[in-house]
Amino acid sequence: MRELHPINFVALIGRAFLAFLATAGRLVLFATEGVSHIFRPPFYWRLIWRQMVDIGYYSLPVVGMTGLFAGMVLALQSYTGFARFSAEGAVATVVVLSMTRELGPVLAGLMVAGRIGASMAAELGTMRVTEQIDALTTLSTNPFKYLVAPRLLAAVTMMPLLVLVADIIGVFGGYVVSVYKLDFNAPNYLKRTWEFLEFQDVFSGLVKASVFGFLVTLMGCYQGYNSARGAQGVGAATTNAVVSSSILILIFNYIITELFFSK
Amino acid sequence: MSGAATQPVIELTEVYKAFGPKKVLNGVNLTVGERESVVIIGGSGTGKSVTLKCILGLLQPDSGSIKVDGEEVTTIGQGRDRDRINAKFGMLFQGAALFDSLRVWENVAFGLIQGRGMGREEAREKAIEKMAQVGLGRDVLDRFPAELSGGMQKRVGLARAIAADPEIIFFDEPTTGLDPIMSDVINDLIVECVKVVGCSALSITHDMASARKIANRIAMLYQGKIIWAGPADQIDRSGNDHVDQFIHGRAEGPIQMQVRAL
């Protein structure tokens, strides 16, 4: 270990920063290339369809469960919390706003990062390691068009639908706990749910969902595509894909919220 | 040598490629003539695979020229021109590199369906025909690559490489990982395919039995340079110590393996 001279420390920061910039640049190039192939023929409808089914349909149980319990715990927590200052009446509004604006998209995004991001990184990583991606090129098929573009398109379109389902199930979970456990009046609760809900609450959540879907797929594909050799390389790619997309989801969640709601 | 008088199909001139400080290709010069089968031999890590990947456009050489049918390909990028060049190529990868999410026939027909836009029915018929050429029957058509043995996967890979009737086929270590008999079967198939399809071939291998069988001409790569090239039947009289050491597989000689004590 070298002596920790102040200038070495500065060099360390500089090196890390340059590495960060280089990665960010590569990522942007990767994303641009991937997105551009969504709009350029030929289109691989079968692959797009398969990815849509995988992302949209097969994520339903996971996302549905997440939404259900998130909604249920929201009702319980806000009830016990708000009871301290006699604001129990706000439970319905809190549940619906939290679900549509925040928890629906973020939790679904994180679950999909674990499910889809990891599997994409592992699949593309294995294809890289076993030279299948090189084989695509030699068969006059662009790997971005064949592998990346269908995944991006499928995630961006399917995630909002998934989140819409999560929203509905989450609100339902809150309703069940409120009405059957906390003895709320059912029609009253439903009325309260609709009363303060605005289009923008749901819409912002769906925009988030789309962006998160893009981020998860981008990181999954990027890490897999650039996977290092061997089983270890694929393992590292998978981990990096999940971790980086989860962090990006939380960062972009703040940014989008800021854009929609800050006044 | 056949094809020496006409324009070479592939021509590499002073190709350099380095990964960081590690110089892998140090000015490679190589030509492959029409209907000629050239085999590059050399030890592990001498740059055989890198040479191949530079020609295929999977790697970009640092300097030098690579011409395919007289057309410079190092400057054409990754777009449509690269696809057009790659349409002339067929490649058999070391591990066969079959798409494991696709059935065997879809693998063989991949270049026809995706690359050329051929209909699936027609492509399937073509795949059956190409698979028959490499001795595979209809029973494996609808199986997945993972269900096949290594030798059969190699054959499927070969069928896929010749499916689009390429001008040039590349073979990356075609016999590695196969038993001696299956190796010979694959060698025969390669010779046969090159003859039937009437194309040129560029192979890389360290299996001398394979090299002797499939090559018209052999070139030896050592430390990123072609140190000897000549007709296959003259390899035993190359007069080059490095070549002699390699073809006889001796540990002692001018080529010193980097064996370090840990």
Side-chain angles (χ1 to χ4, degrees):
Chain A
M1 193 70 195
R2 256 184 307 168
E3 197 185 338
L4 200 64
H5 191 272
I7 203 77
N8 287 343
F9 185 65
V10 174
L12 210 67
I13 295 174
R15 210 171 295 137
F17 186 64
L18 286 178
F20 167 76
L21 288 183
T23 309
R26 270 195 292 271
L27 201 56
V28 169
L29 287 178
F30 189 92
T32 316
E33 176 96 25
V35 170
S36 77
H37 278 287
I38 293 178
F39 301 104
R40 280 189 281 162
F43 305 110
Y44 296 117
W45 299 114
R46 289 162 67 94
L47 295 175
I48 296 170
W49 174 248
R50 199 185 301 165
Q51 291 300 328
M52 281 181 154
V53 170
D54 196 30
I55 296 169
Y57 184 70
Y58 287 107
S59 301
L60 272 176
V62 171
V63 171
M65 289 295 274
T66 314
L68 180 69
F69 283 97
M72 284 167 70
V73 83
L74 254 177
L76 203 56
Q77 284 280 23
S78 48
Y79 177 78
T80 52
F82 290 180
R84 291 180 194 165
F85 43 93
S86 314
E88 297 96 327
V91 167
T93 315
V94 168
V95 168
V96 73
L97 287 190
S98 312
M99 277 314 298
T100 53
R101 281 181 169 206
E102 274 299 314
L103 291 178
V106 171
L107 290 181
L110 293 177
M111 297 313 281
V112 168
R115 215 189 85 82
I116 300 295
S119 87
M120 282 178 185
E123 187 179 352
L124 266 66
T126 307
M127 288 185 78
R128 160 66 66 202
V129 169
T130 56
E131 297 185 303
Q132 290 179 49
I133 292 183
D134 289 346
L136 279 176
T137 309
T138 64
L139 292 165
S140 298
T141 304
N142 188 309
F144 277 89
K145 186 177 289 303
Y146 189 79
L147 296 172
V148 181
R151 284 170 168 77
L152 285 175
L153 182 62
V156 167
T157 51
M158 294 315 282
M159 268 301 278
L161 298 180
L162 262 182
V163 167
L164 202 59
V165 172
D167 287 351
I168 293 167
I169 295 179
V171 170
F172 173 73
Y175 169 86
V176 167
V177 169
S178 303
V179 170
Y180 294 102
K181 187 175 157 53
L182 307 173
D183 293 328
F184 274 74
N185 174 274
N188 213 6
Y189 184 91
L190 284 180
K191 185 172 151 275
R192 283 288 209 139
T193 298
W194 287 112
E195 207 167 26
F196 296 105
L197 187 66
E198 285 173 21
F199 171 74
Q200 203 174 6
D201 297 323
V202 179
F203 182 69
S204 71
L206 300 186
V207 170
K208 283 181 179 180
S210 210
V211 173
F212 297 167
F214 180 80
L215 291 172
V216 166
T217 316
L218 177 66
M219 294 317 292
C221 290
Y222 175 79
Q223 296 289 351
Y225 193 87
N226 295 304
S227 167
R229 299 266 141 195
Q232 208 173 14
V234 177
T238 310
T239 311
N240 289 341
V242 176
V243 172
S244 57
S245 57
S246 300
I247 291 174
L248 282 174
I249 282 176
L250 296 175
I251 294 173
F252 274 80
N253 181 42
Y254 180 82
I255 296 173
I256 298 170
T257 309
E258 179 92 32
L259 288 177
F260 266 97
F261 296 110
S262 82
K263 278 277 145 61
Chain B
M1 275 169 281
S2 61
T6 57
Q7 183 187 45
V9 185
I10 297 176
E11 187 173 17
L12 278 74
T13 321
E14 290 295 309
V15 174
Y16 285 82
K17 177 74 187 171
F19 294 100
K22 192 163 174 270
K23 293 187 180 114
V24 180
L25 301 184
N26 260 322
V28 172
N29 293 297
L30 184 74
T31 56
V32 180
E34 209 172 312
R35 290 178 171 249
E36 188 183 31
S37 174
V38 175
V39 172
I40 304 175
I41 57 171
S44 310
T46 48
K48 302 193 300 287
S49 294
V50 175
T51 308
L52 219 55
K53 287 187 171 170
C54 283
I55 302 172
L56 289 164
L58 299 170
L59 289 172
Q60 182 72 23
D62 297 334
S63 65
S65 141
I66 299 174
K67 284 183 178 155
V68 176
D69 286 336
E71 186 184 346
E72 181 66 43
V73 298
T74 52
T75 50
I76 58 170
Q78 289 298 327
R80 258 160 232 244
D81 286 333
R82 174 44 77 182
D83 286 349
R84 183 172 50 79
I85 294 294
N86 277 356
K88 300 178 182 183
F89 295 161
M91 165 92 185
L92 175 59
F93 286 87
Q94 189 173 348
L98 302 175
F99 304 122
D100 37 33
S101 59
L102 299 180
R103 293 174 192 283
V104 163
W105 80 266
E106 290 173 314
N107 263 285
V108 175
F110 191 92
L112 301 171
I113 296 173
Q114 310 294 356
R116 298 207 179 164
M118 189 186 277
R120 289 176 69 82
E121 284 305 312
E122 195 188 342
R124 190 179 155 103
E125 289 308 311
K126 193 94 189 265
I128 293 173
E129 180 193 318
K130 293 296 172 181
M131 282 167 65
Q133 257 186 52
V134 299
L136 289 172
R138 285 164 179 267
D139 49 320
V140 294
L141 272 180
D142 289 310
R143 290 215 235 155
F144 285 98
E147 301 168 40
L148 304 180
S149 69
M152 278 170 108
Q153 288 185 2
K154 271 269 161 77
R155 290 196 204 194
V156 176
L158 183 58
R160 183 175 72 180
I162 61 171
D165 300 316
E167 285 176 38
I168 309 143
I169 313 187
F170 299 91
F171 299 99
D172 183 359
E173 312 261 358
T175 56
T176 299
L178 301 179
D179 66 72
I181 297 169
M182 187 49 84
S183 296
D184 205 48
V185 170
I186 294 288
N187 286 337
D188 281 338
L189 283 173
I190 290 173
V191 173
E192 192 64 23
C193 284
V194 171
K195 213 180 287 169
V196 170
V197 181
C199 57
S200 316
L202 178 61
S203 322
I204 58 180
T205 186
H206 46 232
D207 175 358
M208 277 314 297
S210 171
R212 286 172 196 275
K213 190 145 187 174
I214 62 183
N216 302 135
R217 205 151 60 84
I218 296 181
M220 173 142 172
L221 198 58
Y222 177 65
Q223 291 186 339
K225 271 188 152 107
I226 301 286
I227 54 164
W228 183 85
D233 48 13
Q234 282 177 27
I235 186 121
D236 293 312
R237 299 184 294 276
S238 66
N240 184 310
D241 293 342
H242 293 79
V243 175
D244 278 342
Q245 187 193 348
F246 188 86
I247 63 174
H248 295 114
R250 287 189 294 254
E252 284 83 34
I255 306 174
Q256 291 298 319
M257 284 293 157
Q258 299 290 321
V259 185
R260 263 172 301 181
L262 288 172

